[in-house]
Amino acid sequence: MTWFDESRLDDEMALGAADLRLRTLAESGARVRRAADDAAEATAVAVARAQDSRPRAVIAAGPDSRLLRAVLEPWCPVPFVAWPGNGLPGWAGALDLVVILAPVGSDTGTASCAAEAVRRGCQVVIACPPDSLVAEHADGRWTTQLPTTTDDQLATAVVMLSYLHRVGLGPEADADSVAQALDDVAIACSPHRDLSINPAKMLAISLADATPLVWGGSVLAARAARRIAESIRRASGRTALAADAEHLLPVLEATRARDVFDDPFADPSGGDLRPVLVVLDDGSDDPVAREQRGRLRAAADGRGVRIETLTSEASTEVARYASLLLTGTYAAEYLRLGLVEG
């Protein structure tokens, strides 16, 4: 039987056992700064090369293209396509810009995609480790490589997004603002910060006896929701669902309403955990998202379902995404720490 011991979240010995995972999270901001510094010179060269022309279209290629799509799709002033599968669209050619993220640099599919872009004469900007398999296949006359030394997907994406912003193809994604947002989360969610004032530890406690339903209204918040749900499943081995409002509403509406006269120690659900609604609020004022958020909250309130809200006051969309994602990932790690076999 597994149960949650919240005292472990402030226990030095228990926290010490999770030190490596928590330290990796705490260093997220440092990885973003280091990646930006490593690629600064190459980024300047790429920006100078792109000053006199605007591509017909931007193609984000490779399996890591989905994060770029979440950021660029609502903003990019030219046609934008995310192509996470093998190869490139049939129409891609010399008038188009292909951008590729390869944090690890050893993926054969990404290497093949880069080689195809070079063969077709596309403009190519790729963020990857130097001297890697992908870097070797991306070498070409119209290729600019942004060298990275981390396998952190977010840090690698920030390098690419900073370039795209400077050439007018993407929103602001300043590395310093993203790194600062990550540092702020690392301080607020530090293992040495008492659970009474630690948002990640408090969220972990809320998740301990519940099935998380994670929702984000904007495109980036929805992506963060999926990543957080994945972290929760990996950390706990339990169900965690991230989905659009129309898919979460039936789950909430099917939940048995909480009765104030229920025995708090009884298990009327036969062992099933009640849901908890986790709302990721990145400050988006989109009317559709606002309406969906209201419907989710009303459904949860009507059935006595707990609502947890994560917010971010970071200055840019990418920084707010990074902040929400890191807070939720910290909560997943604290959930892992508190779950014990007994």
Side-chain angles (χ1 to χ4, degrees):
M1 177 181 178
T2 302
W3 60 288
F4 188 80
D5 181 3
E6 68 180 61
S7 69
R8 289 173 55 83
L9 303 189
D10 282 337
D11 181 85
E12 291 297 330
M13 290 187 64
L15 290 168
D19 179 70
L20 180 58
R21 290 193 299 270
L22 294 172
R23 185 178 301 180
T24 299
L25 296 181
E27 293 172 348
S28 297
R31 288 194 294 274
V32 169
R33 288 190 180 90
R34 185 165 57 249
D37 288 343
D38 290 343
E41 183 177 346
T43 300
V45 171
V47 171
R49 176 183 289 186
Q51 287 302 317
D52 299 329
S53 63
R54 170 167 285 188
R56 176 180 62 179
V58 176
I59 304 163
D64 288 292
S65 63
R66 292 183 178 88
L67 175 54
L68 296 179
R69 177 175 61 190
V71 179
L72 295 174
E73 206 164 38
W75 201 98
C76 189
V78 301
F80 172 83
V81 175
W83 202 263
N86 294 326
L88 294 173
W91 48 264
L95 298 178
D96 306 306
L97 171 63
V98 176
V99 294
I100 302 174
L101 301 182
V104 178
S106 59
D107 180 67
T108 56
T110 304
S112 176
C113 179
E116 182 176 349
V118 171
R119 179 177 58 80
R120 294 198 197 184
C122 300
Q123 306 165 55
V124 179
V125 178
I126 183 166
C128 65
D131 302 321
S132 63
L133 176 68
V134 173
E136 179 182 344
H137 282 72
D139 189 37
R141 181 180 180 185
W142 305 112
T143 298
T144 299
Q145 295 186 16
L146 308 180
T148 60
T149 55
T150 175
D151 60 1
D152 187 313
Q153 186 204 47
L154 177 60
T156 305
V158 169
V159 168
M160 182 65 73
L161 290 169
S162 297
Y163 160 77
L164 292 170
H165 170 65
R166 291 174 62 182
V167 297
L169 294 174
E172 184 179 358
D174 177 62
D176 286 338
S177 66
V178 175
Q180 186 59 56
L182 293 169
D183 288 346
D184 291 343
V185 172
I187 292 171
C189 301
S190 166
H192 306 295
R193 191 176 173 93
D194 184 84
L195 64 86
S196 63
I197 54 173
N198 188 315
K201 290 182 180 180
M202 289 190 289
L203 179 57
I205 292 172
S206 294
L207 301 178
D209 61 348
T211 297
L213 307 179
V214 194
W215 178 83
S218 70
V219 176
L220 275 174
R223 177 178 173 82
R226 292 191 294 272
R227 295 287 303 278
I228 289 171
E230 179 184 330
S231 294
I232 292 171
R233 290 193 295 268
R234 191 165 51 243
S236 66
R238 296 178 176 178
T239 300
L241 176 63
D244 295 334
E246 59 265 30
H247 296 122
L248 296 181
L249 278 168
V251 180
L252 290 170
E253 292 166 352
T255 302
R256 175 184 177 273
R258 189 180 292 278
D259 190 330
V260 295
F261 298 106
D262 282 345
D263 181 351
F265 300 102
D267 186 8
S269 60
D272 293 334
L273 301 177
R274 286 181 62 82
V276 57
L277 177 63
V278 182
V279 175
L280 306 187
D281 184 359
D282 63 355
S284 172
D285 198 34
D286 178 71
V288 174
R290 189 166 59 244
E291 186 269 341
Q292 291 177 341
R293 182 166 57 240
R295 291 170 61 199
L296 287 168
R297 287 183 174 276
D301 287 337
R303 284 153 183 79
V305 171
R306 290 199 308 273
I307 303 173
E308 299 289 343
T309 303
L310 297 183
T311 62
S312 172
E313 298 180 357
S315 58
T316 67
E317 290 182 349
V318 179
R320 289 191 288 274
Y321 162 80
S323 174
L324 293 174
L325 176 58
L326 187 58
T327 302
T329 308
Y330 262 110
E333 287 302 329
Y334 288 130
L335 178 62
R336 183 201 304 268
L337 180 65
L339 290 173
V340 294
E341 296 287 340

